[in-house]
Amino acid sequence: MNQEKTKMHFTDNYLLAPTNPITVNLVGAGGTGSKVLTGLMEINESLLALGHTGLQVRLWDDDIVTSANLGRQRFFDCEVGLPKSVALINRINRCTGANWKAETVKFEKDKFGKMPKQSNATITITCVDTVQARFGVAEILTSVNGQRNHVRDSPKYWLDYGNSKHTGQVILSTVGNIVQPESEKYIPVNNLPFVTQEYGELLMQSERDDNTPSCSLAEALEQQDLFINASLAQMGCKLLWSLFRFGMTKYRGLFHNLEDFRTSPILID
């Protein structure tokens, strides 16, 4: 009996056997981003233990820690008033001896259309809460990709997180085409579309459902469930870990509903 082959994306070879740490731009240090950073720390320590060169992360956020961020986001009372990115990166570096970097500005082009400094990274992870920010990141990645022969850290993957009160999604995209090996068992897929191309309407709906920033933790919990960010962060980091650990994935993301504990994987098609 003939069985249809499974579509599979094989990880870019550079991620599997790099000569330098894999550069990662993590955009957003709020409820999801602060927890994704912890996941990246765990991935980094595990990769190093396996003889890999690990990760070099740069965290982007222009916001300041407030009392409303305590509890739901990964901040503490002693950090109120500090830049979010600085507080988180300092903590990671002290705990692990890493030399990860903090940026206290938004990851966006300036008013003259100039690219942000240090915008080149092999992996970009976005934990932002506006459609405009995502389209801005898409534009930056497209621009950098057009110059990929002239930069060291060519962009290869974009992992995007988004959520409302009880639901959310994680979407993996490639920046351009990733060279795939020949396979008799699978159908290799070299391109995973940008989230802004495939799920633009979903993103706009999520933004319409979102509310204004909260002034207290109690108000924040009315807008987003306590564990929606953490559960999404874990599953997205698992997807990223699979790229490194197994060298391939048949999934390109997931939809998650924490209210009724349902998760629907998105297969590569």
Side-chain angles (χ1 to χ4, degrees):
M1 183 176 67
N2 293 328
Q3 187 174 7
E4 187 176 351
K5 291 182 180 180
T6 301
K7 292 185 178 180
M8 188 75 65
H9 175 76
F10 291 87
T11 308
D12 188 276
N13 285 333
Y14 180 69
L15 272 69
L16 302 178
T19 54
N20 296 291
I22 299 294
T23 50
V24 179
N25 273 332
L26 175 56
V27 184
T32 302
S34 61
K35 295 176 174 64
V36 170
L37 185 67
T38 300
L40 293 177
M41 178 192 70
E42 295 169 351
I43 290 174
N44 180 60
E45 294 297 303
S46 299
L47 287 174
L48 292 174
L50 294 170
H52 192 277
T53 57
L55 307 177
Q56 178 61 40
V57 177
R58 186 176 296 271
L59 177 60
W60 299 74
D61 199 296
D62 67 334
D63 204 2
I64 302 296
V65 180
T66 68
S67 58
N69 303 141
L70 308 182
R72 194 177 62 82
Q73 300 182 19
R74 195 143 289 172
F75 298 106
F76 303 96
D77 188 65
C78 62
E79 294 169 329
V80 170
L82 294 176
K84 287 184 175 181
S85 59
V86 172
L88 291 171
I89 289 296
N90 282 348
R91 196 187 312 154
I92 292 290
N93 288 345
R94 286 196 301 268
C95 290
T96 67
N99 188 31
W100 291 2
K101 304 298 183 181
E103 297 287 345
T104 57
V105 296
K106 290 182 178 180
F107 186 80
E108 62 182 12
K109 291 184 177 181
D110 64 20
K111 61 182 180 180
F112 302 107
K114 188 176 180 181
M115 302 280 284
K117 292 182 179 180
Q118 307 299 333
S119 59
N120 298 333
T122 303
I123 300 172
T124 297
I125 303 174
T126 46
C127 305
V128 296
D129 53 10
T130 68
V131 176
Q132 181 182 0
R134 286 184 175 88
F135 276 94
V137 170
E139 184 180 357
I140 289 172
L141 292 178
T142 300
S143 298
V144 176
N145 185 48
Q147 308 167 14
R148 66 189 315 165
N149 293 328
H150 307 289
V151 298
R152 172 188 169 189
D153 300 307
S154 297
K156 300 183 184 298
Y157 292 100
W158 176 15
L159 187 66
D160 179 73
Y161 288 85
N163 72 278
S164 54
K165 184 173 184 178
H166 295 290
T167 63
Q169 72 282 335
V170 184
I171 306 294
L172 176 68
S173 307
T174 59
V175 184
N177 296 329
I178 303 297
V179 176
Q180 299 288 286
E182 295 183 0
S183 175
E184 296 183 359
K185 185 176 182 180
Y186 302 109
I187 301 175
V189 176
N190 65 0
N191 185 275
L192 307 179
F194 274 9
V195 61
T196 49
Q197 296 173 335
E198 197 165 13
Y199 296 103
E201 178 57 36
L202 176 67
L203 296 176
M204 287 186 283
Q205 179 62 48
S206 177
E207 184 174 59
R208 286 193 293 266
D209 292 342
D210 194 20
N211 294 313
T212 55
S214 305
C215 297
S216 69
L217 176 57
E219 290 180 1
L221 293 174
E222 289 298 318
Q223 297 178 23
Q224 293 189 18
D225 185 81
L226 180 59
F227 292 107
I228 182 63
N229 304 109
S231 56
L232 278 172
Q234 288 290 302
M235 286 185 282
C237 285
K238 165 59 178 174
L239 179 57
L240 183 60
W241 170 244
S242 295
L243 288 178
F244 286 106
R245 186 61 171 150
F246 306 115
M248 59 184 184
T249 179
K250 64 178 180 179
Y251 303 106
R252 58 167 308 229
L254 57 98
F255 294 106
H256 182 52
N257 188 322
L258 191 59
E259 190 170 27
D260 57 13
F261 302 101
R262 286 186 297 118
T263 300
S264 301
I266 305 172
L267 289 169
I268 292 175
D269 55 18

